[in-house]
Amino acid sequence: MWCTSCALAVEGSLNRLDGIHEVSVHYPSATLCINGTPAATQLSVLASKVKRLGYRLSELEPVADAHARLEEESRYLTLRLMVGALFGMWAMLASLLIYVGALPSEQVELIVAWVSGAFSLPVVLFAGLPFYRAGWRTLIAKRPGMDVLISLGVFGAVIVSVVLLWRGSSEVYFDTAVMLIVLLLVGRLVETLCRHRGLKALDTLSLPDENVSVWQNDTFQSLPVGEVSAGMRVELVSGELLMLDGTLEAPGWIDTASLTGESLPRYFNVGQKVYAGCRYLGVTPVVMQVSAEVGKRRLDRLCDEMRRYQAKKGELQKLADRFAAWLSPLALLLALLTLPAALLFGLGWEEAFVRALSVLVVACPCAVGLAVPLASLAGSGQAMQQGIALRDPAALETLARIRSVALDKTGTLTTGSHSVLHRQARAGIDEHALQQKLSAAVAGSEHPLAHALARWLSDERDQHPEQNPEQNIEVNESPGEGRRVRLNSGEWLTLGSANWLNRQQIVLPSQAEDPAMAFASQVMLADKAGWLATFYLTDQPVADAATSVKRLLESGYVVAMISGDRQGAVSWLGEQVGLTRDACYAQRSPEAKARLLQALPSPTLFVGDGLNDTLSLAAADVGIAPLSASEAAREGASAQLMTPGISGVVRLLGIAKRTRRIMVQNLFFSALYNTLALGLVVLMAIPPLVAVLAMAASSLTVTLNAARLAWAEPDEND
């Protein structure tokens, strides 16, 4: 497509088809989003309709193809701009000599005027060809737009100039036609570069086409990644980039930095799912069973979803489209009325035509058409560079107006895994002996709290390495309650909850429980002498939770934590992250969460990661899924954080505010320009060349204002 008028023409043409409910064409990304009956939305049906307008419709193109298309468009524009600039320069110079009266006689001026016309021919016939083609297509679609005005302006300037030359006058307007084409080509080129810049954000979600080692015929063979299907087994060697999603058949260390931004690699166990874009760091090769081939990987889905949702338009874009839709026909009508009106007021044919020509040129709604989509594309690109995948860029407009931010607890504000917060032990117990017994008691347990105790012991051992660790040789376990283990020394240890230890006939002294730690999960350890120690574990807040909540509160948002967890744990976490007790809501069912969310000042934003959060994500005006979110939560969210923590929420709100600010600026000034310019050009004589410069300046200002957002460095303090 050549411009936003092309997009509106395609929309208008497809809207007239039977069975079509909604059509949205996003010009910057050249994407069509259509809603209708299955029969009406077949590619073959839509493509044939679009082809009659002179456009080509195909399946959503890969990011690499989109880059190639935009590079081709850039070369196409550059060639025409070079021709326009080269010949236009001489045409303008010739006109300038006439305007300033630098020529010795009227005969020489007439010759120079003919020279100006000759130099303008390559510009008009070659450089301006895309405008005429687009104008004809939009006329066919019965949606005349800016290219119709441009074409009429160019042809009008040339025709008036030829008539004047034929009458022996050197007051020609070839420079107007040349300047109109050249300046608009400059604007189109800058706009294409901005679109290219916006697509570069998707590069982080694309992977190169490389060969992978696949198990076939009892040996590993090298195959192109595109030929690998789900269920196949591929070999990963140290340092290799994962090209496919899958599950590991052996444990290993995985660097997830490229996908999640985590600086430290993570240890994945057998059966855990890993995603394309990560890197295997293990020493020995491991085998991975493919769960999603090329086109169905998590990265592919994110990329496609982002580009599909880019075609959806927000309220500001719809407003801009409506304004541009009636502006072009209005300009044509005013131009037609200006000609006879000027004649009625006693102006000559020449001046009347010049007035009508100025109306056509100055009314071109290029800036209005570009005001919102370029800013939206730039904002989406900024979000991706900040580690936030926007599944619905139209949500940027809503995000800029958010008043309330509600946060889930487990997995969103917390890490999702417990750690030791406090412990108390029997008087006189040796610290090293306590650690040895605890290590033996948790060894081999699959309970999450036992894993947390094992991690705590591992950290302690880094500071005080064990010399002769105790080992268990017999285990009696009650799943979910506790376990008894016999050490190689013959001593029995009991590990579990207070209730379970009581049932094991173990007497717990008063100091075994600390009332101030009632919010934490308790694990008690006992030996042959009775109670030995109590460990208090909590799900710790993510590293950036407190700073992020503080920044949200300072920015004036209503911030709440809504959780299904017990009151004590929720209140404790609220204190840790800086929320007051009345802003922390505990023991809420999924339905209660959604109802509470709707009672907050709207528009609302909800951040949640679990299955129980899907209802709240749908109830909120905008939903965001953190990095560790479940598949259901990701599907229900408008955006997904690709980095750990919740600081991405703060960054996204800042980006949304900047984007909407630029959208409103662009829309206001472009609409103001067109409205005032049309009024002025009808009431007073404005030379066509001045009208050209004003129109081009308006379009270029809108484009550069959007580019300011695309090229700006991320502002951490926004």
Side-chain angles (χ1 to χ4, degrees):
M1 293 184 295
W2 177 246
C3 65
T4 52
S5 292
C6 301
L8 292 175
V10 174
E11 281 186 9
S13 179
L14 294 180
N15 255 324
R16 289 192 286 271
L17 289 175
D18 293 333
I20 298 300
H21 307 317
E22 183 182 5
V23 180
S24 176
V25 179
H26 188 248
Y27 163 64
S29 61
T31 308
L32 164 69
C33 182
I34 192 162
N35 180 20
T37 63
T41 54
Q42 293 294 318
L43 180 61
S44 56
V45 175
L46 301 174
S48 61
K49 183 70 173 178
V50 171
K51 188 177 181 179
R52 295 192 194 105
L53 300 178
Y55 304 105
R56 179 178 59 86
L57 184 64
S58 64
E59 293 284 357
L60 192 66
E61 63 187 353
V63 177
D65 291 350
H67 279 301
R69 173 174 55 81
L70 287 175
E71 286 173 2
E72 185 178 352
E73 285 185 24
S74 299
R75 290 193 296 269
Y76 175 84
L77 284 168
T78 302
L79 174 62
R80 294 184 183 273
L81 181 58
M82 289 174 63
V83 171
L86 177 63
F87 289 93
M89 175 182 64
W90 294 108
M92 291 293 297
L93 179 60
S95 297
L96 182 63
L97 291 173
I98 298 172
Y99 291 155
V100 299
L103 300 176
S105 64
E106 291 184 1
Q107 289 80 5
V108 175
E109 285 184 352
L110 188 61
I111 294 172
V112 172
W114 279 103
V115 170
S116 175
F119 276 115
S120 69
L121 284 177
V123 183
V124 172
L125 298 179
F126 175 75
L129 185 61
F131 296 104
Y132 319 144
R133 186 186 297 122
W136 177 249
R137 289 171 175 173
T138 54
L139 274 176
I140 293 175
K142 301 177 182 178
R143 294 290 293 268
M146 62 189 75
D147 292 295
V148 173
L149 301 181
I150 293 167
S151 302
L152 290 175
V154 171
F155 291 146
V158 171
I159 291 171
V160 169
S161 299
V162 170
V163 170
L164 290 172
L165 281 175
W166 190 259
R167 292 173 53 189
S169 173
S170 61
E171 298 293 327
V172 293
Y173 298 97
F174 293 117
D175 54 337
T176 299
V178 167
M179 186 67 76
L180 185 62
I181 291 171
V182 171
L183 289 180
L184 285 173
L185 283 173
V186 171
R188 290 285 198 277
L189 183 58
V190 174
E191 169 196 322
T192 302
L193 294 175
C194 287
R195 291 162 60 197
H196 208 332
R197 174 83 178 187
L199 276 179
K200 283 185 180 296
L202 296 173
D203 287 340
T204 57
L205 298 180
S206 61
L207 296 174
D209 292 327
E210 296 180 354
N211 285 9
V212 294
S213 183
V214 183
W215 182 259
Q216 283 189 330
N217 302 322
D218 298 328
T219 184
F220 282 105
Q221 300 179 3
S222 181
L223 288 179
V225 66
E227 297 180 12
V228 181
S229 58
M232 289 186 173
R233 301 169 69 232
V234 300
E235 183 182 40
L236 304 176
V237 298
S238 182
E240 183 177 1
L241 185 70
L242 275 65
M243 307 301 297
L244 301 155
D245 294 354
T247 53
L248 296 178
E249 295 186 0
W253 288 94
I254 302 290
D255 178 9
T256 62
S258 61
L259 186 62
T260 67
E262 290 180 277
S263 58
L264 297 176
R266 294 169 54 194
Y267 188 77
F268 284 74
N269 292 311
V270 176
Q272 278 193 274
K273 194 166 187 178
V274 291
Y275 296 100
C278 300
R279 192 175 298 276
Y280 175 62
L281 299 180
V283 177
T284 59
V286 298
V287 176
M288 178 185 77
Q289 184 171 21
V290 177
S291 61
E293 62 263 25
V294 173
K296 298 180 180 179
R297 299 170 297 189
R298 181 183 177 190
L299 285 178
D300 296 324
R301 293 197 304 272
L302 278 173
C303 186
D304 286 351
E305 284 171 358
M306 275 196 65
R307 300 186 60 206
R308 283 192 175 95
Y309 277 98
Q310 278 178 343
K312 293 189 175 181
K313 298 178 180 179
E315 290 304 315
L316 287 177
Q317 178 59 52
K318 292 176 182 177
L319 177 63
D321 287 349
R322 287 195 295 269
F323 185 74
W326 63 256
L327 183 60
S328 295
L330 175 63
L332 285 171
L333 179 63
L334 283 176
L336 291 174
L337 293 176
T338 300
L339 183 61
L343 293 173
L344 286 175
F345 278 97
L347 300 178
W349 279 97
E350 177 185 339
E351 190 171 349
F353 270 114
V354 170
R355 285 281 187 97
L357 178 62
S358 297
V359 171
L360 287 174
V361 172
V362 82
C364 179
C366 299
V368 178
L370 296 173
V372 175
L374 280 181
S376 178
L377 188 66
S380 300
Q382 273 280 296
M384 179 56 72
Q385 291 174 2
Q386 289 288 292
I388 306 152
L390 271 173
R391 299 177 69 244
D392 183 7
L396 279 172
E397 294 183 34
T398 307
L399 281 164
R401 298 182 289 109
I402 289 295
R403 295 176 61 197
S404 304
V405 179
L407 304 161
D408 178 44
K409 173 184 171 285
T410 306
T412 301
L413 278 173
T414 67
T415 60
S417 59
H418 284 65
S419 59
V420 175
L421 179 67
H422 175 66
R423 68 166 181 80
Q424 56 193 93
R426 188 172 64 208
I429 185 68
D430 178 67
E431 179 71 22
H432 181 65
L434 174 61
Q435 290 182 11
Q436 278 193 321
K437 290 185 176 182
L438 179 61
S439 177
V442 300
S445 174
E446 297 181 356
H447 196 282
L449 294 182
H451 287 175
L453 289 169
R455 286 194 301 272
W456 175 73
L457 285 168
S458 178
D459 295 338
E460 293 294 317
R461 288 195 198 101
D462 290 340
Q463 301 176 15
H464 307 288
E466 291 188 45
Q467 300 298 324
N468 298 303
E470 294 267 16
Q471 294 182 354
N472 63 53
I473 58 175
E474 184 180 345
V475 178
N476 296 324
E477 190 153 3
S478 296
E481 293 185 303
R483 62 186 339 217
R484 298 190 73 238
V485 300
R486 185 162 65 90
L487 307 182
N488 49 10
S489 62
E491 182 180 9
W492 282 89
L493 298 176
T494 306
L495 181 75
S497 64
N499 290 335
W500 192 72
L501 262 65
N502 282 327
R503 293 203 301 271
Q504 303 304 310
Q505 310 303 317
I506 297 174
V507 178
L508 299 177
S510 58
Q511 68 268 28
E513 295 187 69
D514 185 351
M517 304 297 292
F519 62 87
S521 299
Q522 297 181 7
V523 178
M524 293 189 177
L525 177 65
D527 59 9
K528 59 184 178 182
W531 173 80
L532 180 60
T534 301
F535 300 90
Y536 300 92
L537 300 94
T538 58
D539 191 359
Q540 296 288 338
V542 292
D544 60 5
T547 55
S548 298
V549 169
K550 180 181 178 182
R551 291 176 63 184
L552 289 171
L553 291 170
E554 289 175 346
S555 299
Y557 295 104
V558 175
V559 184
M561 175 171 51
I562 309 176
S563 175
D565 205 352
R566 62 190 189 280
Q567 184 65 58
V570 171
S571 298
W572 175 82
L573 181 64
E575 293 177 4
Q576 301 302 304
V577 301
L579 289 175
T580 59
R581 182 176 289 272
D582 59 359
C584 301
Y585 301 90
Q587 295 175 302
R588 305 285 168 151
S589 66
E591 294 80 6
K593 276 187 173 185
R595 288 195 299 270
L596 179 57
L597 183 67
Q598 291 178 322
L600 295 174
S602 62
T604 55
L605 167 67
F606 182 76
V607 188
D609 71 314
L611 286 170
N612 63 328
D613 296 319
T614 53
L615 191 59
S616 297
L617 288 167
D621 292 284
V622 180
I624 298 180
L627 175 64
S628 59
S630 65
E631 192 69 27
R634 286 198 294 266
E635 288 299 319
S638 299
Q640 182 181 346
L641 305 182
M642 303 295 288
T643 55
I646 61 165
S647 59
V649 175
V650 183
R651 293 195 298 270
L652 181 58
L653 289 169
I655 290 170
K657 286 182 177 179
R658 293 198 302 274
T659 302
R660 182 176 172 83
R661 188 162 59 240
I662 286 180
M663 285 180 180
V664 172
Q665 288 171 0
N666 283 353
L667 194 56
F668 174 76
F669 286 115
S670 58
L672 181 66
Y673 158 78
N674 282 99
T675 304
L676 293 179
L678 272 176
L680 286 174
V681 79
V682 171
L683 296 174
M684 57 186 294
I686 295 179
L689 185 60
V690 175
V692 169
L693 292 172
M695 181 274 301
S698 173
S699 300
L700 197 58
T701 300
V702 167
T703 303
L704 292 177
N705 197 32
R708 182 169 60 88
L709 176 62
W711 279 307
E713 289 296 324
D715 185 3
E716 291 294 334
N717 296 318
D718 217 325

